[in-house]
């Protein structure tokens, strides 16, 4: 990928990377895609499930989420503007297995509240407790837990648009077909989060040097 970032929006370079990997499938057992920091996984999942070529060569095994039990409630309860995303909520909502880390730093009562809050957002995900992120590897792979049907239902609930609209008046990318509309779910510009750009985009206003 151009710079390793696949956290924010549907990425053309992510499709390109998987396209290159499918020709070398015999050389590896799985692809572990890690988002950077607090990221919304839904656009990444949508990127893969919307591409028939990728789905014919790969399958999503499951979505993992690592939760900091000490601070997760602060993030989940963070009040956001109506038209912006709470990435912590999105991570929990779209996960198939959630690792509750740092359980040694909270009381039993606090841990119970964390579990209750997470279950209110996602009642399907399996919860696993851990300390110092120590989890058996067989609990992280071979999950066979991703459900496209459930994902599509979650998409409807969280009103995720399939493609974010480009409102950058300076965008010169001829392949960018989403000009002239307002964002339906996010309010950031190209420089901040790097909207989907075609391969070879040279527009400096897209912030490629920093974020892709």
């Amino acid at each position: 990928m151009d710079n390793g970032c696949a956290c924010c929006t549907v990425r053309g370079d992510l499709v390109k990377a998987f396209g290159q990997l499918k020709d070398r499938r015999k050389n590896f057992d799985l692809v572990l895609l890690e988002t950077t920091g607090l990221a919304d996984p839904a656009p990444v999942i949508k990127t893969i499930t919307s591409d028939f070529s990728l789905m014919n060569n790969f399958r999503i095994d499951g979505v993992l989420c690592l939760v900091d039990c000490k601070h997760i409630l602060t993030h989940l309860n963070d009040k956001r503007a109506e038209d912006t995303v709470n990435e912590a909520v999105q991570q929990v909502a779209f996960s198939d297995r959630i690792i509750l880390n740092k359980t040694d730093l909270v009381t039993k009562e606090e841990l119970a509240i964390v579990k209750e809050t997470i279950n209110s957002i996602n009642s399907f995900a399996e919860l696993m407790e851990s300390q110092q992120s120590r989890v058996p590897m067989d609990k992280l792979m071979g999950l066979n837990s991703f459900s496209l049907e459930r994902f599509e239902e979650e998409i409807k609930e969280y009103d995720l648009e399939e493609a974010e609209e480009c409102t950058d008046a300076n965008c010169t990318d001829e392949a960018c077909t989403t000009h002239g509309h307002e964002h339906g779910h996010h309010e950031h510009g190209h420089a901040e989060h790097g909207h989907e750009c075609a391969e070879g985009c040279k527009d400096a206003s897209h912030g490629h040097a920093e974020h892709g």
Side-chain angles (χ1 to χ4, degrees):
M1 295 177 61
D2 291 344
N3 70 353
C5 177
C7 61
C8 304
T9 187
V10 179
R11 298 296 301 272
D13 53 345
L14 178 60
V15 175
K16 176 183 175 182
F18 272 107
Q20 295 171 341
L21 287 173
K22 71 181 182 180
D23 297 327
R24 297 187 282 121
R25 285 183 299 168
K26 295 182 179 180
N27 298 331
F28 54 85
D29 297 317
L30 59 86
V31 177
L32 181 62
L33 182 59
E34 181 182 5
T35 59
T36 54
L38 195 59
D40 180 2
V44 178
I45 300 172
K46 192 67 176 177
T47 298
I48 299 172
T49 58
S50 298
D51 191 294
F52 292 108
S53 176
L54 295 187
M55 291 299 285
N56 285 335
N57 290 276
F58 300 93
R59 69 173 178 84
I60 300 178
D61 181 50
V63 180
L64 297 168
C65 177
L66 182 66
V67 164
D68 182 336
C69 290
K70 184 68 174 178
H71 302 102
I72 184 61
L73 293 181
T74 299
H75 294 295
L76 293 178
N77 296 325
D78 185 23
K79 299 298 181 181
R80 301 290 184 89
E82 184 177 350
D83 53 356
T84 59
V85 169
N86 184 324
E87 291 86 354
V89 173
Q90 296 287 91
Q91 280 196 5
V92 169
F94 290 103
S95 292
D96 300 303
R97 181 166 293 176
I98 299 174
I99 301 171
L100 305 175
N101 195 40
K102 299 184 181 180
T103 55
D104 55 321
L105 301 183
V106 296
T107 65
K108 291 182 179 180
E109 291 75 16
E110 290 172 331
L111 181 59
I113 295 174
V114 168
K115 290 181 177 180
E116 182 180 355
T117 304
I118 288 176
N119 281 324
S120 70
I121 299 171
N122 183 346
S123 61
F124 294 95
E126 177 184 356
L127 304 183
M128 294 181 57
E129 298 181 20
S130 72
Q131 297 178 12
Q132 298 180 343
S133 304
R134 293 175 179 172
V135 179
M137 288 299 294
D138 61 357
K139 298 296 184 180
L140 304 179
M141 299 178 289
L143 306 182
N144 291 311
S145 58
F146 176 76
S147 169
L148 182 58
E149 291 75 16
R150 185 170 76 84
F151 173 71
E152 293 294 346
E153 287 301 315
E154 292 289 339
I155 286 292
K156 295 176 184 178
E157 180 179 349
Y158 287 92
D159 194 27
L160 175 74
E161 296 191 352
E162 293 189 9
E164 293 183 339
E165 309 294 353
C166 175
T167 59
D168 187 353
N170 298 317
C171 181
T172 59
D173 180 9
E174 295 180 357
C176 186
T177 59
T178 57
H179 290 283
H181 304 280
E182 294 183 356
H183 289 265
H185 202 63
H186 298 279
E187 277 196 335
H188 41 250
H190 283 284
E192 181 179 349
H193 272 304
H195 289 232
E196 184 183 43
C197 293
E199 180 184 353
C201 179
K202 303 298 184 181
D203 188 347
S205 68
H206 285 196
H208 291 292
E210 291 185 5
H211 210 64

